């Protein structure tokens, strides 16, 4: 190339050029070919840059076609393809023409058919060199410096043979830069690039044509392309590949589609410009609840995290005391015994009611102490009431509980000059919070008032006199037979006051059961509590049952001035011993003390004639167990709950009276024609002797094992709480229509299974709420069992809201013929919190635990590390010891149960 150029230029002085035009022209091909080889590298390089712009789609690029381009030139001696290859031996598709010396040139170069691939506007980029006519030897009037570009639309390749005049002209192409022989000498490459666009196209493809009319041109490359806005995700909406509009100024509106796991916030739209750019985004999508935005996608919230709404920015960790085990959670569940109000946002921590912390003393007299306190800072719900527990210092076993809706109370009836300990806890719908710490206040000493002011003596004398008169009025009032109020304290209708002694509630004004044994002469007890009836007033009709002491008959009683009514008559068989007589009448002595619609009512006794009789109200349907068996499946759940409510109410009355039944079972409940259930079968030591279910225990007593709480079996600890256990068994009997508890298991197996933590499974079709109540009654820790008043209110609630009884115990979770594992932490392991803490050598914390409401192993099971710190267990070693022990107990309970 260099030698050829040098030869060309050296030989061509200005005069020679004029004389030697042919030389120049003939040399052009050779020169241009060499130039083009050089240019090619540049062209290829720049075009490869262009290629990276994804919004451009090539329909044709002459540089990249490896084989024959298939273009046609006519006349045949017009446009010529230079048969060169580049350094990689790839063909260079370059066409050139240089008929500057001849008149009337009309040289056409036709491309092959080019598919427009759906584009309606296409772009044609031409790269070419053009010889400056002025640089050619003078007088060449035929030389041109332009060429023309045409197109012809066609759906297929048939259009190739059409006439020239059917082509539509796109433009006349002129060079910005033309070259001279000087440029060739200086080796300056003057490559022109011209781009034209055509549209709207209406057919599937087209041909291009280049018309030369006498210029000296080399067409180095032809590239045909269209533009598109490439698929993109913007604002979580995916916009598809979009071919630009036909018009160069047109903006195409495109709707986006929300990416996976996202939802439309406002319909997403963008606009595709003719240049292939996305413009003006409108609207957006948001990751739906449970998903968060990451790298233009919606990623699932991991377990332990949640996102409540599409508008929340990202997944958040579950708030304190809540959890989720699932992916894509929209909220977290509260840990057991932690709660969140329905109105609380899911971002809110779950809490237990917070303890009352600041308690202030108010007015103190010699008999009363007034207190006030602040509502807890963060009660997790509306505080329904406060429970104030107080007792005389060092007399904790005998305490009083006042319930109040106000944040102040006055405890009265206190001893002068004595220290009292107070603790307060709040109750919300979530239950009770922990008790506050102990607050100790002292009543004023009586001597101070008396000695401080002698002038007060007359006042005191007057007061005492008035007091005595008042006392006399009260005694008179009581003797007149009028019953005292029930449980409401007098001072404040919002307050309820109960007294406890060794676990028994003593309601002020409620009579206490008196054990007939305390009477030296049992006959005296009978006559104190039972009316003597003339035998002539009684008509015996028929025998209805057999009791331990004789037959039970039905009959009628006609008392003077009253209408005759049906009664049941228990008779003492002839030939009885004195002890048998005493025991027989003992039941009447007890029954006679009770007056409650759910306790069998004693009409009186016949002791002055024989046979000795006990006359009670008549219960048409007899004993409950037989009645239910006879009427299996005949009652609605509400009717059954009504029966249970009656029994619970009778038992509440008995426990309020301080009477422990010891033999509560469906066979000892009587039911009348209105389906009213009444507790019966009261007795003294003999109570268990005549129960065929009672069995001798290792300690000698006779106990109805299947109905009796473990502590009563093990060490004869009979309390109202053990009656609650029995009540749970009665519930089970009622809901299973008189099924025998524990079926045919032996008593020994029952004791063992219960001790190991197994409990009766739910009866068929039993509402979940009732079975839960049964399980509560069967808590190993008797302090954790509900009290009868709680049972009554719970049943009342269920009756008031029958839909709450619709949820039945899941049939698959009922284990028929097997006992179910019952798993309060510590069951079977420790009897009390104290025992447990002692066992792990942490006994020093017993008091703190008790004071803060962790008085049962079930409550302890909920303790968290945070709670321990709050309780003041600050030593890490101690925290670990306690937490590890709790964990161990939980694992044992989950894994260690052996199915029967
Ligand atoms: P008891 O000796 O109390 O267990 O009574 C024995 C049976 O007599 C009971 O199982 C009842 O079937 C029946 N019975 C006892 N008292 C009454 C009563 N007040 N009304 C109806 N039947 C009764």
């Amino acid at each position: 190339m260099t030698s050829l150029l040098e030869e060309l230029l050296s030989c061509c002085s200005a005069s020679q050029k004029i004389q030697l035009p042919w030389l120049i022209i003939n040399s052009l091909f050779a020169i241009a070919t060499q130039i083009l080889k050089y240019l090619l590298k540049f062209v290829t390089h720049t075009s490869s840059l262009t290629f990276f712009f994804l919004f451009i789609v090539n329909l044709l690029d002459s540089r990249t076609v490896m084989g024959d381009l298939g273009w046609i030139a006519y006349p045949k001696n017009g446009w010529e393809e230079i048969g060169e290859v580049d350094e990689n031996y790839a063909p260079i598709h370059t066409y050139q023409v240089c008929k500057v010396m001849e008149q009337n040139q009309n040289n056409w170069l036709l491309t092959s058919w080019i598919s427009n691939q759906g584009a309606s506007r296409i772009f044609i980029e031409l790269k070419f060199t053009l010889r400056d006519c002025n640089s050619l030897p003078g007088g060449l009037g035929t030389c041109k410096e332009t060429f023309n570009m045409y197109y012809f639309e066609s759906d297929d390749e048939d259009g190739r043979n059409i006439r020239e005049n059917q082509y539509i002209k796109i433009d006349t192409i002129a060079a910005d830069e033309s070259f001279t022989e000087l440029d060739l000498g200086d080796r300056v490459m003057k490559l022109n690039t011209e781009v034209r666009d055509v549209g709207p196209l209406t057919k599937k493809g087209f041909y291009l044509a280049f018309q030369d009319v006498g210029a000296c041109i080399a067409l180095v490359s032809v590239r045909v392309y269209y533009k598109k806005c490439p698929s993109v995700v913007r604002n979580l909406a995916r916009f598809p590949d979009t071919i630009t509009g036909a018009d160069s100024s047109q903006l195409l509106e495109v709707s986006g589609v929300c990416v996976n796991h996202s939802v439309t916030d406002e319909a997403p739209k963008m606009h595709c410009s003719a240049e292939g750019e996305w413009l003006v985004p409108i609207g957006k999508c948001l990751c739906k609840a449970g998903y968060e935005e990451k790298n233009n996608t919606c990623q699932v919230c991991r377990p332990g995290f949640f996102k409540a709404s599409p508008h929340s920015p990202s997944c958040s960790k579950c708030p304190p005391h809540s959890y989720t085990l699932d992916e894509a959670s929209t909220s977290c569940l509260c840990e057991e015994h932690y709660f969140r109000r329905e109105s609380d946002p899911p971002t809110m921590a779950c809490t237990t009611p917070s303890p009352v912390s600041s308690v202030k003393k108010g007015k103190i007299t010699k008999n009363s102490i007034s207190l006030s306190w602040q509502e807890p800072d963060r009660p997790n719900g509306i505080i329904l009431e406060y429970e104030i527990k107080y007792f005389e210092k060092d007399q904790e076993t005998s305490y009083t509980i006042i319930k109040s809706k106000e944040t102040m109370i006055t405890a009265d009836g206190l001893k002068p000059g004595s220290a009292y300990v107070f603790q307060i806890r709040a109750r919300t719908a979530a239950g009770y919070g922990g008790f506050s710490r102990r607050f100790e206040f002292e009543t004023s000493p009586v001597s101070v008032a008396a000695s401080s002011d002698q002038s007060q003596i007359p006042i005191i004398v007057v007061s005492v006199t008035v007091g005595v008169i008042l006392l006399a009025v009260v005694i008179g009032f009581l003797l007149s037979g009028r019953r005292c109020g029930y449980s409401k304290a007098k001072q404040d209708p919002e307050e309820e006051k109960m007294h406890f002694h060794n676990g028994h509630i003593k309601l002020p004004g409620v009579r206490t059961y008196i054990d007939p044994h305390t009477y030296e002469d049992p006959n005296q007890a009978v006559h104190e509590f039972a009316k003597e009836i003339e035998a002539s007033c009684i008509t015996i009709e028929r025998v209805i049952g057999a009791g331990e002491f004789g037959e039970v008959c039905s009959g009628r009683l006609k008392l003077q001035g009253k209408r005759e009514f049906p009664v049941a008559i228990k008779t003492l068989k002839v030939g009885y011993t004195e002890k048998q007589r005493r025991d027989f009448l003992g039941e009447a002595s007890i029954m006679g003390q009770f007056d409650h619609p759910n306790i069998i009512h004693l009409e009186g006794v016949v002791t002055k004639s024989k046979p000795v009789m006990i006359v009670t109200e008549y219960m048409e349907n007899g004993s409950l167990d037989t009645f239910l068996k006879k009427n299996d499946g005949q009652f609605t759940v509400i009717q059954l709950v009504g029966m249970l409510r009656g029994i619970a109410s009778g038992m509440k009355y008995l426990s309020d009276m301080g009477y422990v039944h010891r033999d509560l079972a469906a066979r000892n409940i009587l039911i009348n024609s209105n389906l009213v259930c009444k507790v019966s079968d009261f007795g003294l030591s003999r109570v268990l002797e005549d129960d065929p279910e009672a069995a001798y225990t290792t300690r000698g007593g006779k106990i109805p094992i299947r109905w009796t709480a473990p502590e009563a079996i093990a060490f004869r600890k009979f309390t109202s709480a053990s009656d609650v256990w029995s009540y749970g068994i009665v519930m089970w009997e009622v809901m299973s229509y008189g099924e025998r508890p524990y079926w045919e298991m032996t008593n020994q197996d029952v004791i063992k299974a219960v001790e190991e933590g197994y409990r009766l499974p739910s009866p068929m079709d039993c509402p979940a709420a009732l079975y839960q109540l049964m399980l509560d009654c069967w808590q190993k820790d008797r302090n954790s069992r509900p009290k009868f008043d709680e049972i009554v209110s719970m049943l009342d609630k269920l009756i008031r809201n029958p839909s709450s009884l619709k949820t039945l115990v899941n049939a698959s979770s009922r284990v028929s013929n097997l006992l179910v594992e019952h798993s309060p932490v510590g069951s079977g392991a420790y009897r009390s919190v104290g025992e447990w803490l002692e066992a792990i050598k942490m006994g020093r914390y017993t008091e703190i635990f008790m004071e803060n409401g962790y008085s049962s192993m079930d409550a302890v099971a909920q303790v968290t590390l945070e709670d321990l710190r709050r309780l003041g267990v600050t030593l890490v070693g101690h925290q670990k010891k306690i937490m590890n022990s709790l964990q161990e107990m939980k694992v044992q309970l989950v894994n260690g149960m052996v199915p029967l």
Side-chain angles (χ1 to χ4, degrees):
M1 161 100 183
T2 313
S3 57
L4 182 67
L5 275 172
E6 276 165 1
E7 187 191 326
L8 182 66
L9 294 171
S10 62
C11 75
C12 299
S13 63
S15 57
Q16 281 174 319
K17 281 175 197 161
I18 297 164
Q19 291 159 6
L20 297 171
W22 59 269
L23 176 64
I24 298 167
I25 295 164
N26 286 339
S27 302
L28 259 176
F29 284 110
I31 297 163
T33 302
Q34 296 304 318
I35 293 170
L36 289 172
K37 265 194 178 180
Y38 190 85
L39 284 175
L40 191 73
K41 283 183 188 167
F42 170 74
V43 169
T44 308
H45 177 69
T46 52
S47 65
S48 68
L49 279 180
T50 314
F51 204 66
F52 279 115
F53 294 112
L54 291 178
F55 51 84
I56 285 177
V57 180
N58 283 343
L59 298 172
L60 167 74
D61 187 346
S62 63
R63 296 172 319 246
T64 58
V65 176
M66 292 303 288
D68 183 12
L69 265 180
W71 292 4
I72 296 169
Y74 69 88
K76 289 240 176 351
N77 61 354
W79 290 90
E80 263 188 301
E81 185 173 7
I82 301 172
E84 288 288 333
V85 290
D86 67 9
E87 64 269 33
N88 296 320
Y89 299 100
I92 303 167
H93 297 292
T94 298
Y95 289 84
Q96 56 188 28
V97 63
C98 196
K99 303 268 187 204
V100 289
M101 300 294 288
E102 293 155 57
Q103 298 280 333
N104 303 322
Q105 290 300 306
N106 186 16
N107 301 308
W108 284 73
L109 177 65
L110 300 183
T111 68
S112 50
W113 186 76
I114 303 165
S115 163
N116 62 31
Q117 295 181 15
S120 50
R121 171 159 296 271
I122 52 121
F123 296 80
I124 305 130
E125 178 202 74
L126 303 176
K127 290 186 185 291
F128 61 95
T129 58
L130 197 96
R131 178 65 196 252
D132 180 354
C133 285
N134 291 329
S135 69
L136 289 170
L140 294 175
T142 55
C143 177
K144 302 283 184 311
E145 290 184 352
T146 60
F147 63 98
N148 301 315
M149 181 161 65
Y150 295 84
Y151 78 105
F152 174 77
E153 277 200 88
S154 160
D155 279 326
D156 48 44
E157 305 199 18
D158 292 348
R160 192 162 202 172
N161 300 322
I162 52 108
R163 291 191 305 276
E164 291 162 21
N165 62 6
Q166 288 179 285
Y167 273 85
I168 300 164
K169 186 167 174 180
I170 298 171
D171 206 357
T172 298
I173 312 293
D176 290 335
E177 306 264 10
S178 50
F179 67 87
T180 64
E181 70 275 24
L182 290 175
D183 298 323
L184 290 171
D186 295 344
R187 301 177 189 198
V188 176
M189 304 308 157
K190 291 186 172 171
L191 186 70
N192 295 283
T193 302
E194 293 292 328
V195 178
R196 299 290 182 276
D197 59 324
V198 182
L201 299 179
T202 54
K203 297 197 172 170
K204 288 183 185 165
F206 55 91
Y207 294 93
L208 289 178
F210 305 100
Q211 183 196 27
D212 165 54
V213 284
C216 194
I217 323 156
L219 193 54
V220 175
S221 85
V222 176
R223 190 160 70 92
V224 183
Y225 58 88
Y226 68 86
K227 291 182 183 175
K228 68 171 184 178
C229 294
S231 167
V232 72
V233 174
R234 187 79 55 88
N235 292 335
L236 289 176
R238 180 174 300 286
F239 294 87
D241 268 350
T242 304
I243 297 173
T244 55
D247 194 321
S248 56
S249 60
Q250 193 179 357
L251 285 185
L252 288 183
E253 186 184 272
V254 181
S255 294
V257 176
C258 291
V259 298
N260 280 352
H261 309 299
S262 69
V263 288
T264 306
D265 181 45
E266 187 193 337
K269 282 181 194 159
M270 275 219 280
H271 296 84
C272 179
S273 77
E275 287 307 306
E277 289 166 305
W278 288 109
L279 302 172
V280 205
I282 296 170
K284 61 177 186 297
C285 302
L286 296 170
C287 287
K288 65 182 186 187
Y291 290 81
E292 66 183 343
E293 184 176 350
K294 263 187 200 154
N295 303 329
N296 271 331
T297 60
C298 292
Q299 303 281 329
V300 68
C301 295
R302 288 178 290 130
F305 290 77
F306 78 106
K307 201 184 98 171
S309 107
H311 293 277
S312 320
S314 58
C315 301
S316 313
K317 206 167 180 316
C318 284
H321 298 296
S322 68
Y323 70 97
T324 165
L325 303 175
D326 299 325
E327 285 191 330
S329 295
T330 55
S331 64
C332 300
L333 301 169
C334 286
E335 289 168 6
E336 213 181 336
H337 299 287
Y338 284 84
F339 304 88
R340 190 191 281 131
R341 266 188 280 180
E342 263 176 37
S343 55
D344 283 346
T347 46
M348 195 96 150
C350 299
T351 55
T352 52
S354 342
V356 173
S357 53
S358 71
V359 176
K360 280 193 202 134
K361 67 177 176 190
K363 191 178 168 207
I364 291 190
T365 69
K366 62 184 190 319
N367 296 117
S368 67
I369 296 174
S370 298
L371 300 177
S372 64
W373 57 90
Q374 295 269 309
E375 183 174 298
D377 289 344
R378 292 187 305 115
N380 66 333
I382 297 162
I383 293 183
L384 303 173
E385 64 180 8
Y386 293 94
E387 191 177 272
I388 304 93
K389 174 182 171 182
Y390 67 89
F391 51 89
E392 197 181 341
K393 196 179 173 189
D394 302 327
Q395 306 280 315
E396 193 166 355
T397 51
S398 189
Y399 58 91
T400 300
I401 282 188
I402 301 180
K403 294 186 178 184
S404 170
K405 291 189 167 44
E406 305 299 324
T407 54
M408 55 170 72
I409 52 120
T410 298
D412 49 18
L414 309 181
K415 287 188 200 161
S418 305
Y420 283 85
V421 175
F422 291 84
Q423 282 184 284
I424 301 170
R425 63 177 177 174
R427 183 167 74 84
T428 66
Y432 280 110
F435 266 120
S436 67
R437 70 174 179 83
R438 291 169 178 225
F439 291 87
E440 196 178 308
F441 303 112
E442 209 167 307
T443 48
S444 318
V446 73
S447 54
V448 174
S451 61
S452 63
D453 187 355
Q454 292 295 321
S455 66
Q456 301 247 330
I457 289 173
I459 298 170
I460 291 169
V461 170
V462 171
S463 306
V464 168
T465 313
V466 170
V468 167
I469 293 165
L470 274 176
L471 192 65
V473 170
V474 170
I475 290 169
F477 182 71
L478 288 176
L479 290 179
S480 72
R482 174 129 181 224
R483 290 192 63 237
C484 302
Y486 195 55
S487 62
K488 297 283 178 191
K490 313 119 267 173
Q491 68 265 43
D492 182 346
E494 293 285 272
E495 280 180 18
E496 194 177 299
K497 188 172 182 179
M498 288 177 283
H499 302 285
F500 292 74
H501 183 73
N502 287 332
H504 290 294
I505 303 170
K506 301 278 181 216
L507 291 163
V510 173
R511 283 183 307 165
T512 307
Y513 157 76
I514 298 164
D515 184 345
H517 275 123
T518 55
Y519 286 76
E520 256 176 58
D521 175 6
N523 283 320
Q524 193 196 335
V526 178
H527 289 114
E528 189 147 323
F529 300 117
K531 279 184 278 176
E532 180 72 26
I533 298 175
E534 289 273 327
S536 59
C537 301
I538 301 165
T539 314
I540 293 180
E541 288 174 338
R542 60 192 174 90
V543 177
I544 53 171
E548 150 121 355
F549 299 97
E551 286 161 340
V552 181
C553 305
S554 63
R556 306 188 76 76
L557 176 65
K558 172 76 185 88
L559 291 173
Q560 223 185 352
K562 284 195 179 170
R563 279 228 314 257
E564 194 181 57
F565 57 94
V567 285
I569 306 137
K570 282 188 175 182
T571 58
L572 178 63
K573 61 191 169 206
V574 287
Y576 55 83
T577 65
E578 187 48 36
K579 179 176 180 305
Q580 280 173 323
R581 183 182 191 272
R582 209 174 45 233
D583 287 349
F584 176 73
L585 290 174
E587 184 176 14
S589 309
I590 297 167
M591 219 190 291
Q593 298 184 46
F594 305 141
D595 180 13
H596 188 273
N598 296 103
I599 303 291
I600 196 79
H601 176 69
L602 177 72
E603 295 297 340
V605 290
V606 177
T607 60
K608 296 197 171 138
S609 61
K610 286 185 184 167
V612 174
M613 291 184 264
I614 298 176
V615 182
T616 64
E617 66 179 305
Y618 180 64
M619 302 292 282
E620 295 84 349
N621 284 317
S623 59
L624 181 62
D625 64 332
T626 321
F627 175 71
L628 287 171
K629 279 180 213 157
K630 256 195 270 170
N631 297 284
D632 193 351
Q634 301 295 305
F635 301 111
T636 62
V637 171
I638 286 288
Q639 282 176 310
L640 296 176
V641 177
M643 295 175 199
L644 291 173
R645 198 265 177 211
I647 302 166
S649 177
M651 289 307 297
K652 172 186 162 0
Y653 175 82
L654 293 182
S655 67
D656 287 350
M657 290 275 287
Y659 179 82
V660 179
H661 192 289
R662 297 177 178 224
D663 197 10
L664 178 58
R667 65 182 168 279
N668 290 329
I669 304 293
L670 293 167
I671 180 160
N672 69 15
S673 53
N674 294 322
L675 301 187
V676 174
C677 287
K678 306 201 180 196
V679 181
S680 82
D681 214 337
F682 304 99
L684 302 167
S685 55
R686 66 97 208 156
V687 71
L688 301 172
E689 302 293 327
D690 71 338
D691 187 337
E693 283 292 349
Y696 285 99
T697 63
T698 44
R699 298 184 59 166
K702 248 183 132 190
I703 287 174
I705 300 294
R706 285 152 214 273
W707 282 263
T708 307
E711 75 276 6
I713 297 174
F715 44 96
R716 301 187 69 77
K717 183 79 190 161
F718 285 95
T719 58
S720 288
S722 63
D723 276 352
V724 166
W725 179 292
S726 311
Y727 178 80
I729 304 286
V730 172
M731 284 184 77
W732 189 89
E733 290 183 278
V734 170
M735 297 314 292
S736 55
Y737 283 91
E739 183 81 71
R740 179 171 166 74
Y742 310 95
W743 305 275
E744 297 316 314
M745 283 170 66
T746 65
N747 280 343
Q748 275 318 306
D749 284 346
V750 171
I751 293 173
K752 193 162 167 274
V754 169
E755 198 52 47
E756 281 175 358
Y758 284 91
R759 298 291 183 265
L760 282 166
S762 166
M764 287 273 280
D765 299 331
C766 180
L770 292 180
Y771 183 54
Q772 185 54 52
L773 187 54
M774 292 179 209
L775 291 174
D776 291 346
C777 294
W778 301 331
Q779 294 271 5
K780 180 170 177 79
D781 173 11
R782 65 175 184 277
N783 295 317
S784 304
R785 294 173 204 155
K787 308 288 177 288
F788 278 114
D789 62 331
E790 290 165 346
I791 295 175
V792 173
S793 8
M794 159 75 110
L795 295 175
D796 280 344
K797 237 191 240 167
L798 296 176
I799 292 167
R800 275 198 305 271
N801 181 15
S803 62
S804 58
L805 293 162
K806 285 209 174 112
T807 313
L808 304 184
V809 175
N810 187 347
S812 60
S813 70
R814 256 194 88 252
V815 192
S816 126
N817 296 322
L818 281 181
L819 303 186
V820 293
E821 183 186 298
H822 186 63
S823 56
V825 164
S827 83
Y830 299 106
R831 283 192 205 102
S832 69
V833 177
E835 194 184 317
W836 164 61
L837 286 169
E838 286 298 340
I840 59 167
K841 301 206 165 43
M842 293 286 110
R844 74 195 70 183
Y845 297 120
T846 305
E847 211 184 349
I848 294 177
F849 268 70
M850 303 300 282
E851 276 174 17
N852 284 278
Y854 298 109
S855 51
S856 69
M857 289 308 288
D858 275 359
V860 160
Q862 315 310 324
V863 166
T864 62
L865 194 58
E866 242 173 80
D867 295 334
L868 283 186
R869 290 192 189 119
R870 192 171 45 78
L871 293 179
V873 183
T874 46
L875 294 174
V876 176
H878 289 187
Q879 291 171 355
K880 273 192 184 158
K881 212 165 197 180
I882 293 171
M883 291 314 291
N884 287 348
S885 168
L886 281 174
Q887 187 58 29
E888 207 174 297
M889 282 192 280
K890 283 179 189 167
V891 171
Q892 277 170 10
L893 282 158
V894 172
N895 299 328
M897 292 301 178
V898 190
L900 291 172

